[in-house]
Amino acid sequence: MPIIGAVISNTRDIGSLESRSTPPSGTSQGSIDMGDALEQPSTNPLTRIGSLQECACAITELVNERLEAGKHLEAFSVQLVILAVWKQALHICHAQAASALEGSPSPDVRYRGSSNKRHNPNARECRRGIESRGPAVLCSQIERDFLQEVCHAEELARDLGRIDETSEMPDAMEIIFQSALALGRHGGVEELMDNMESAAALYTKAVRLLSFLLIEAPSLILNPPFSLTSSDRIRLRTYIEILNNRQGQSRSHRMAMLKCDDQQSF
């Protein structure tokens, strides 16, 4: 899958995170196919922030998996994407706060930020973080979470230290894509083993990562910009449709099994 990812070549020492997570002046956002409105990020600020939170949660799990496997450079590369996700959420919050100060109508929100302990919250926990309160609290909490992720990325950079000058930064988007496919395959195995609940959960994770690549990733401010070709979009749509169908069948099968168990208990 041709995906434009960050590449670092002839680099001996990984430097400041701010210089890597922030594109130079004039860098544009990733290209977006404006012909398909359904694949555009939500224009509702709260819905968009919730979507970005879910993406960050899902991708954080990939970072932790890479660290456990000893793939620290891959973990660092994916961590930079998480920074871009949180930075986008922070930008939306600031825009909302400015709109509120100007007297424009905006929904009141409250965001329950993550604790200092790094963990793998699921999408439901992430979505529950948005509740009713003022936009100033939302901005403050998301800013703290963004800075927390910057600190984590700095720690990863220090752990990497000096790297070989021939080394290239792994393609984070390709890592996310391949991880989604692996989750889908694992879900298929679980489904064949009649572990329908596990299969549905794995399909859900896979769809979330693929949806991130299709909808959110092209709009993030990255250096270099991330873009998808028409064939990439068709491929992602096809995978998402297949996984959603498998997920629906897994849930239907599980409900049928539960119904049979209930009938046998009488």
Side-chain angles (χ1 to χ4, degrees):
M1 181 177 185
I3 292 179
I4 300 175
V7 176
I8 296 179
S9 59
N10 299 324
T11 303
R12 293 179 179 273
D13 193 20
I14 296 178
S16 169
L17 260 294
E18 284 300 318
S19 64
R20 297 200 181 279
S21 62
T22 305
S25 177
T27 299
S28 62
Q29 293 185 352
S31 64
I32 301 175
D33 180 9
M34 301 305 293
D36 195 342
L38 293 177
E39 292 176 6
Q40 303 309 307
S42 173
T43 57
N44 181 286
L46 297 187
T47 302
R48 180 78 191 283
I49 291 171
S51 173
L52 290 168
Q53 284 180 270
E54 290 182 359
C55 292
C57 290
I59 300 171
T60 293
E61 189 169 341
L62 300 185
V63 172
N64 292 339
E65 289 174 357
R66 287 329 186 258
L67 290 175
E68 291 175 1
K71 300 178 180 180
H72 295 275
L73 191 57
E74 288 189 10
F76 178 73
S77 179
V78 176
Q79 178 67 22
L80 295 183
V81 175
I82 295 176
L83 290 183
V85 171
W86 280 110
K87 195 167 188 177
Q88 183 67 29
L90 192 59
H91 171 75
I92 295 170
C93 286
H94 287 163
Q96 273 294 98
S99 177
L101 289 175
E102 293 172 359
S104 300
S106 61
D108 287 340
V109 294
R110 179 175 64 190
Y111 169 77
R112 182 166 58 247
S114 60
S115 64
N116 289 331
K117 181 180 179 181
R118 189 171 181 83
H119 64 296
N120 291 337
N122 58 36
R124 187 172 299 175
E125 289 174 336
C126 291
R127 182 69 76 171
R128 278 202 300 261
I130 298 180
E131 300 170 358
S132 60
R133 202 174 171 183
V137 175
L138 177 68
C139 290
S140 178
Q141 292 288 354
I142 288 186
E143 184 173 21
R144 282 197 289 269
D145 278 353
F146 170 71
L147 293 176
Q148 180 178 315
E149 293 299 335
V150 170
C151 289
H152 185 245
E154 293 282 8
E155 291 175 2
L156 292 176
R158 284 194 296 270
D159 290 341
L160 286 173
R162 298 174 67 85
I163 60 176
D164 188 88
E165 63 180 8
T166 61
S167 298
E168 292 186 349
M169 181 69 76
D171 188 334
M173 296 303 184
E174 184 67 19
I175 291 171
I176 293 171
F177 176 66
Q178 293 298 333
S179 296
L181 296 187
L183 286 167
R185 288 192 293 268
H186 189 186
V189 172
E190 291 295 295
E191 185 178 353
L192 288 174
M193 299 294 291
D194 282 336
N195 298 325
M196 297 305 174
E197 186 172 358
S198 175
L202 290 166
Y203 289 146
T204 297
K205 289 182 179 181
V207 168
R208 187 168 296 119
L209 292 176
L210 293 174
S211 296
F212 163 74
L213 293 174
L214 182 63
I215 299 172
E216 293 291 354
S219 68
L220 297 179
I221 300 175
L222 298 168
N223 185 26
F226 172 74
S227 63
L228 293 170
T229 65
S230 296
S231 60
D232 288 336
R233 289 185 175 279
I234 293 172
R235 190 177 181 186
L236 288 171
R237 289 190 207 109
T238 301
Y239 286 145
I240 290 171
E241 182 179 356
I242 291 172
L243 289 168
N244 278 331
N245 288 338
R246 297 310 311 166
Q247 183 185 53
Q249 292 182 28
S250 296
R251 287 177 174 171
S252 297
H253 183 65
R254 182 168 178 267
M255 293 300 296
M257 291 177 63
L258 291 174
K259 186 176 181 179
C260 289
D261 291 341
D262 290 340
Q263 290 176 348
Q264 291 175 1
S265 63
F266 286 107

